[in-house]
Amino acid sequence: MGLRINDTIPDLKVETDQGELSLHDWIGDSWAILFSHPKDFTPVCTTEFGAVAKLSDEWEKRGCKVIGVSVDGVEDHKKWKGDIEKVGGAKAGFPIIADTGLEVSKAFDMLPAEAYLPDGRTPADSATVRSVFIIGPDKQLKLMMTYPMTVGRNFGEVLRALDALQASTTKGVATPADWQVGEDVIIPPSVSDEDAKAKFGDFEAVLPYLRKTKLPG
């Protein structure tokens, strides 16, 4: 059975271009994003990792650490970071896991249990290793998404999803479609009108089950 939302992620010990680390210890009390890709020195993934590097200040503002995953080795990661920084125009200060034995890829259900890496592999051999996992300070999986090789991930959306997760978990609200910071949020149906008034103040009842309000401070 693969990981599901609210499952605790496995506390794997992994090798990265910045040394060995334990996933749980590395996350600590922070939010974390683990993002994977099939192979170093490939075009779409280089633009994606460059986008992550460019957003370093935004991750930090939100108390979120980021870590990459690839089935290539540490030395390839170190060399590839030069390309990432050239494309992204920013320092790639985050670690990248060298998942050469596929432990992380299989533990996060990105590859089947019987998967292996053939000699002379291409990115297609690890194509499904192209996912995003957002993890809370409680080490539980909060969100996951997987993209095909030909479509670059939108890290603006990852950032927006992180904002929504942080708002919903800390304020007891939900967020509507396309929500951005500063916009109205949704009061959960489990909260009565009376309790909603006491907790959130004024709210708009668009439908009996759809009530919108300002995000509490």
Side-chain angles (χ1 to χ4, degrees):
M1 182 68 71
L3 284 176
R4 295 183 176 181
I5 299 296
N6 294 330
D7 281 350
T8 299
I9 68 161
D11 186 19
L12 300 175
K13 285 185 171 52
V14 296
E15 191 66 37
T16 80
D17 63 308
Q18 298 179 6
E20 187 177 88
L21 56 84
S22 153
L23 286 182
H24 282 205
D25 287 346
W26 174 77
I27 292 170
D29 296 326
S30 301
W31 285 76
I33 293 176
L34 184 150
F35 60 103
S36 60
H37 72 107
K39 188 172 174 60
D40 294 356
F41 305 106
T42 52
V44 176
C45 296
T46 303
T47 64
E48 291 182 318
F49 274 52
V52 172
K54 194 180 296 186
L55 289 169
S56 61
D57 289 346
E58 297 301 324
W59 308 127
E60 187 173 354
K61 283 178 193 173
R62 291 160 175 80
C64 183
K65 298 177 179 178
V66 294
I67 190 167
V69 180
S70 166
V71 297
D72 289 315
V74 166
E75 292 308 311
D76 278 343
H77 291 350
K78 290 178 179 178
K79 293 174 185 174
W80 185 42
K81 275 195 170 177
D83 291 349
I84 293 169
E85 291 172 356
K86 181 178 180 180
V87 169
K91 180 174 176 57
F94 52 84
I96 305 177
I97 296 170
D99 191 30
T100 54
L102 304 181
E103 290 90 350
V104 177
S105 302
K106 292 179 180 180
F108 280 78
D109 199 31
M110 293 184 272
L111 285 174
E114 66 274 13
Y116 71 98
L117 294 180
D119 292 336
R121 76 174 182 90
T122 69
D125 294 306
S126 48
T128 53
V129 187
R130 195 139 186 279
S131 302
V132 176
F133 301 89
I134 301 183
I135 303 153
D138 55 6
K139 316 303 184 293
Q140 291 182 358
L141 180 61
K142 304 300 183 184
L143 179 150
M144 53 186 171
M145 57 180 79
T146 300
Y147 283 63
M149 287 176 59
T150 54
V151 180
R153 286 167 282 193
N154 182 340
F155 283 92
E157 165 57 16
V158 176
L159 196 66
R160 189 201 73 84
L162 176 61
D163 284 334
L165 284 167
Q166 291 184 338
S168 63
T169 57
T170 61
K171 304 296 186 181
V173 298
T175 58
D178 305 322
W179 179 83
Q180 298 287 342
V181 172
E183 295 179 351
D184 285 356
V185 295
I186 291 174
I187 300 170
S190 58
V191 179
S192 69
D193 283 351
E194 184 180 0
D195 289 343
K197 182 74 173 177
K199 182 174 181 179
F200 302 107
D202 292 334
F203 61 84
E204 176 192 2
V206 181
L207 296 166
Y209 56 85
L210 175 55
R211 299 163 298 170
K212 291 186 174 183
T213 189
K214 298 294 181 187
L215 187 67

